[in-house]
C-alpha cells in the first residue's frame, strides 16, 4: 500500500473534521487506523435512508477516489447503478479534490427524488403537483436580506459604523475549563471585515481571549470569484480548518470569529472540533446553510486584512 504524502494527510484531516462537524450524530468512525468512515444520510421520511461507507486510500484526494459502499436494503438494480454512476461522475468532474460532501449532497438529492416519486405514485396527479411545488419551494434561497447583502449593494451603501450589519454571538461552549464562543457577521467588502473586527475587539473580554480565530468568504458576482481568507491567531491551522468548513457549506458574504479562552488544560484535537462546531452551529442558526446557488469551481482570491491587534 502506498504511503500517504503530507498534503493528502492534511487534506483528509481537514475534510474529516469539517464533514464530521456538519453531520455530527450521522457520522461514524468505523476504523480510524484504516481510514474507514460511515455517513448515514436520511430523507425526511426515515424509510429512505442510505449509509455511505468510505475508505480513504493514501492517494486520496490528489490521485485516487475514496473506496465506497452504499448500504440500503431497498437500493437495488438500476437505482443502485444510477446512483453509483452519479458518484463516479462527480469524481471525474472533481478529480484531485475532496469529494465526501459532494457525494453526500448527491445522495440527499437522490433520496429527495425517491421520496417525491414514491409520493406521486401513491397519490396520483395531486401528489405529483405537490411534489413539483415542494421542489420549486426547496430551490428558493430564503436568506434574510438583512443578513445577506450583495457586493453591488455594498458599493452603494455607506460604510459608516451605524450602517454596519449587526454581529451576532453564539452560545458559549465549555470543555475542561476552556470556553469557545462564535461570532458571526454579514460582510460584502474587505473594509467591512476590518470594521467588524475592530468593533468586536472593543469588547475587552473578547480582545483578551487566548485566540480569536476567524475566516471570511465574500462572493464577487461581477467577477464570479471568491475573496476569502482566515487567521489562526496562534491556534495553528484552526483558521484554515474553519475556512474549509465554510467552503464545504458553500456560505458567502459572511465572516465567523471563534474566541477561545484557554482554561489551563490541553484539549488536543478536541479543540478543533469545538471551534468548527461553534462556527457551524451559528452559521446554521443564522440560515447560512440554505442553498445559495451554483458557484462551484470558482476562482479564489486571497486577501489578508491587517493584524487584529496591530502588532
Amino acid at each position: 500500500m502506498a504511503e500517504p504524502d503530507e498534503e493528502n494527510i492534511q487534506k483528509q484531516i481537514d475534510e474529516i473534521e469539517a464533514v464530521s462537524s456538519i453531520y455530527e450524530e450521522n457520522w461514524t468512525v468505523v476504523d480510524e487506523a484504516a481510514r474507514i468512515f460511515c455517513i448515514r444520510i436520511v430523507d425526511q421520511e426515515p424509510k429512505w435512508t442510505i449509509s455511505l461507507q468510505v475508505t480513504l486510500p493514501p492517494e486520496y484526494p490528489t490521485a485516487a477516489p475514496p473506496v465506497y459502499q452504499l448500504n440500503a436494503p431497498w437500493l437495488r438494480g438500476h437505482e443502485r447503478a444510477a446512483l453509483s454512476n452519479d458518484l463516479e461522475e462527480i469524481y471525474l468532474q472533481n478529480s484531485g479534490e475532496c469529494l465526501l460532501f459532494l457525494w453526500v449532497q448527491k445522495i440527499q438529492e437522490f433520496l429527495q427524488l425517491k421520496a417525491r416519486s414514491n409520493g406521486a405514485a401513491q397519490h396520483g396527479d395531486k401528489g405529483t403537483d405537490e411534489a413539483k411545488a415542494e421542489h420549486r419551494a426547496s430551490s428558493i434561497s430564503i436568506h434574510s436580506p438583512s443578513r445577506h447583502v450583495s457586493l453591488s449593494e455594498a458599493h452603494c451603501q455607506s460604510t459608516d459604523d451605524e450602517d454596519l450589519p449587526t454581529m451576532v454571538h453564539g452560545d458559549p461552549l465549555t470543555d475542561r475549563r476552556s470556553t469557545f464562543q462564535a461570532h458571526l457577521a454579514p460582510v460584502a467588502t474587505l473594509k467591512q471585515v476590518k470594521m467588524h473586527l475592530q468593533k468586536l475587539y472593543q469588547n475587552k473580554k473578547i480582545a483578551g481571549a487566548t485566540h480569536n480565530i476567524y475566516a471570511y468568504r465574500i462572493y464577487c458576482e461581477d467577477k464570479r470569484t471568491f475573496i476569502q481568507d482566515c487567521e489562526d491567531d496562534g491556534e495553528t491551522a484552526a483558521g484554515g480548518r474553519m475556512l474549509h468548513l465554510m467552503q464545504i457549506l458553500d456560505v458567502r458574504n459572511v465572516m465567523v470569529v471563534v474566541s477561545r479562552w484557554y482554561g489551563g488544560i490541553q484539549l488536543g484535537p478536541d479543540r478543533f472540533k469545538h471551534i468548527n462546531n461553534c462556527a457551524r452551529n451559528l452559521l446554521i442558526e443564522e440560515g447560512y446553510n440554505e442553498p445559495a446557488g451554483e458557484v462551484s469551481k470558482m476562482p479564489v482570491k486571497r486577501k489578508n486584512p491587517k493584524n487584529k491587534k496591530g502588532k
Side-chain angles (χ1 to χ4, degrees), residues 11-294:
K11 285 184 176 181
Q12 289 188 18
I13 290 172
D14 290 346
E15 183 178 30
I16 289 166
E17 288 182 352
V19 175
S20 64
S21 69
I22 293 170
Y23 295 105
E24 292 185 315
E25 67 274 7
N26 290 323
W27 171 269
T28 303
V29 178
V30 179
D31 187 335
E32 188 166 8
R35 314 299 282 169
I36 303 174
F37 308 94
C38 185
I39 308 169
R40 184 171 176 265
I41 304 147
V42 186
D43 187 59
Q44 292 179 348
E45 296 185 36
K47 67 177 180 179
W48 304 122
T49 299
I50 294 177
S51 292
L52 172 66
Q53 182 171 302
V54 294
T55 302
L56 306 184
E59 302 86 0
Y60 174 76
T62 57
V67 178
Y68 71 91
Q69 179 177 334
L70 297 168
N71 298 316
W74 54 268
L75 186 64
R76 303 185 184 92
H78 72 278
E79 285 186 325
R80 178 180 288 274
L83 181 55
S84 296
N85 287 339
D86 286 343
L87 299 185
E88 288 157 19
E89 182 66 24
I90 288 173
Y91 166 67
L92 294 175
Q93 293 175 355
N94 299 271
S95 181
E97 299 182 12
C98 295
L99 299 175
L100 297 187
F101 186 74
L102 296 176
W103 278 3
V104 173
Q105 279 189 315
K106 175 54 67 176
I107 295 172
Q108 287 174 330
E109 292 173 8
F110 177 85
L111 291 176
Q112 289 167 3
L113 288 172
K114 177 70 175 176
R116 282 198 291 269
S117 63
N118 185 70
Q122 289 181 354
H123 302 294
D125 292 340
K126 180 180 178 182
T128 303
D129 293 339
E130 289 174 349
K132 289 180 179 178
E134 180 184 346
H135 175 67
R136 287 195 298 269
S138 67
S139 300
I140 299 173
S141 172
I142 57 172
H143 294 315
S144 165
S146 65
R147 288 204 302 268
H148 296 264
V149 183
S150 71
L151 285 175
S152 57
E153 291 172 337
H155 290 312
C156 298
Q157 290 179 337
S158 166
T159 54
D160 292 340
D161 183 71
E162 62 183 9
D163 293 329
L164 197 65
T166 302
M167 176 170 278
V168 296
H169 309 277
D171 295 328
L173 181 155
T174 300
D175 178 14
R176 286 163 280 180
R177 298 192 302 200
S178 278
T179 299
F180 302 80
Q181 185 179 25
H183 323 279
L184 178 151
V187 290
T189 65
L190 291 173
K191 184 174 182 180
Q192 287 187 341
V193 173
K194 181 178 179 180
M195 291 175 67
H196 272 301
L197 290 172
Q198 290 174 339
K199 189 169 183 178
L200 183 65
Y201 297 136
Q202 290 175 7
N203 182 307
K204 293 183 179 179
K205 180 179 179 181
I206 294 173
T210 313
H211 308 288
N212 281 303
I213 305 108
Y214 68 81
Y216 62 85
R217 302 189 82 216
I218 301 171
Y219 181 54
C220 308
E221 294 190 20
D222 54 343
K223 298 180 181 178
R224 290 176 61 80
T225 61
F226 278 106
I227 299 174
Q228 59 186 12
D229 213 336
C230 57
E231 168 59 47
D232 296 335
D233 194 25
E235 189 70 283
T236 304
R241 295 176 189 207
M242 191 160 71
L243 179 58
H244 186 59
L245 169 68
M246 295 171 71
Q247 290 168 338
I248 284 181
L249 291 175
D250 191 26
V251 299
R252 62 199 68 184
N253 295 351
V254 64
M255 69 176 297
V256 180
V257 183
V258 176
S259 303
R260 181 196 180 184
W261 291 269
Y262 179 58
I265 300 174
Q266 294 185 358
L267 302 185
D270 283 349
R271 68 191 189 278
F272 299 116
K273 179 180 69 175
H274 295 327
I275 291 166
N276 265 15
N277 280 340
C278 285
R280 169 189 173 273
N281 290 341
L282 192 53
L283 284 164
I284 290 175
E285 286 173 14
E286 293 301 306
Y288 283 89
N289 63 320
E290 296 294 340
E294 287 293 330

